[in-house]
Amino acid sequence: DAKTTQPNSMESNEEEPVHLPCNHSTISGTDYIHWYRQLPSQGPEYVIHGLTSNVNNRMASLAIAEDRKSSTLILHRATLRDAAVYYCILSLSLDSNYQLIWGAGTKLIIKP
Amino acid sequence: GAGVSQSPRYKVAKRGQDVALRCDPISGHVSLFWYQQALGQGPEFLTYFQNEAQLDKSGLPSDRFFAERPEGSVSTLKIQRTQQEDSAVDLCASSHDRMQYFGPGTRLTVT
């Protein structure tokens, strides 16, 4: 199964951009890259996903390397509410179903 | 609109008791997942439904764990004869278009 590698934790200052890296060197051609985040005592929350091209939405941007072996989640202007554990996950494509394999994630600490 | 809801939010069970955890997915979502999350870890897959069909139960840790979704909407995760190692947060998610929407989870503590 394809796995992801993320730093255990990162710190950033409020109102600055944050770049969260993820390595997935064994990714297969049909695997999507997903990012979720989990605030304390809450269920995970979808952030963004992509396959090959960079993606933008109102929450964040996803930059995918050309060889797809790594990706970066970009929060353009971090706020204190962005403090959470961020998970980079690959989905296994099995027919029309899929399953997400989660790692331990990156704990993002935002300093005021 | 209403998101995924789970009940109860907290459950304390004595070792050996049976528990039933409920998940109400987002209306119209065909796919439903159950995960278990230990403290400080990411969620671990338990089982997957498409409508009422349980298509993957490979993550259920033992035959004490059972999940059902008889009418393709509400799902129940049942744990029989609970053990201390079952203490965790059990998460339910329903999905649409490759995005999973999670409930708040049920924190199960077995004493």
Side-chain angles (χ1 to χ4, degrees):
Chain A
D1 295 342
K3 296 287 194 293
T4 62
T5 305
Q6 299 177 254
N8 290 334
S9 65
M10 288 183 63
E11 285 190 4
S12 182
N13 293 318
E14 195 178 10
E15 299 188 4
E16 289 186 357
V18 180
H19 290 236
L20 295 163
C22 181
N23 288 319
H24 28 79
S25 57
T26 59
I27 191 171
S28 73
T30 55
D31 286 340
Y32 279 77
I33 301 158
H34 303 253
W35 284 83
Y36 284 74
R37 71 180 186 181
Q38 188 171 24
L39 280 66
S41 301
Q42 294 188 25
E45 173 188 29
Y46 168 83
V47 177
I48 201 166
H49 76 278
L51 184 60
T52 55
S53 303
N54 294 344
V55 184
N56 299 297
N57 66 23
R58 63 176 179 81
M59 287 183 72
S61 295
L62 175 61
I64 302 173
E66 200 169 326
D67 63 5
R68 301 211 325 127
K69 294 187 176 182
S70 65
S71 60
T72 303
L73 180 71
I74 303 164
L75 306 179
H76 295 287
R77 193 164 164 270
T79 69
L80 295 177
R81 291 184 300 172
D82 291 321
V85 177
Y86 286 77
Y87 295 96
C88 168
I89 308 149
L90 303 182
S91 63
L92 310 177
S93 297
L94 301 168
D95 298 325
S96 60
N97 310 327
Y98 63 95
Q99 183 187 123
L100 302 181
I101 307 297
W102 300 66
T106 297
K107 183 175 183 178
L108 177 63
I109 298 163
I110 305 295
K111 296 181 288 186
Chain B
V4 177
S5 61
Q6 292 186 245
S7 60
R9 288 293 313 277
Y10 302 91
K11 177 69 180 177
V12 179
K14 289 190 186 334
R15 192 173 59 175
Q17 275 186 332
D18 297 349
V19 298
L21 312 179
R22 178 187 169 107
C23 172
D24 285 81
I26 293 172
S27 178
H29 281 192
V30 167
S31 299
L32 184 144
F33 298 79
W34 282 98
Y35 294 87
Q36 189 176 69
Q37 186 172 27
L39 192 64
Q41 304 292 320
E44 287 196 9
F45 170 81
L46 294 179
T47 187
Y48 164 68
F49 290 86
Q50 193 168 33
N51 296 306
E52 69 279 3
Q54 188 175 21
L55 298 185
D56 188 342
K57 54 182 181 179
S58 60
L60 295 176
S62 76
D63 58 8
R64 295 185 296 103
F65 285 71
F66 173 75
E68 61 183 6
R69 193 185 185 199
E71 296 178 359
S73 56
V74 172
S75 178
T76 305
L77 177 66
K78 297 180 179 177
I79 308 173
Q80 297 177 324
R81 304 181 304 281
T82 52
Q83 304 293 318
Q84 280 197 314
E85 62 262 28
D86 299 334
S87 295
V89 176
D90 294 296
L91 293 160
C92 172
S94 66
S95 77
H96 173 70
D97 197 21
R98 291 191 174 274
M99 290 177 279
Q100 293 193 10
Y101 299 85
F102 283 80
T106 295
R107 180 176 296 278
L108 174 64
T109 303
V110 182
T111 61

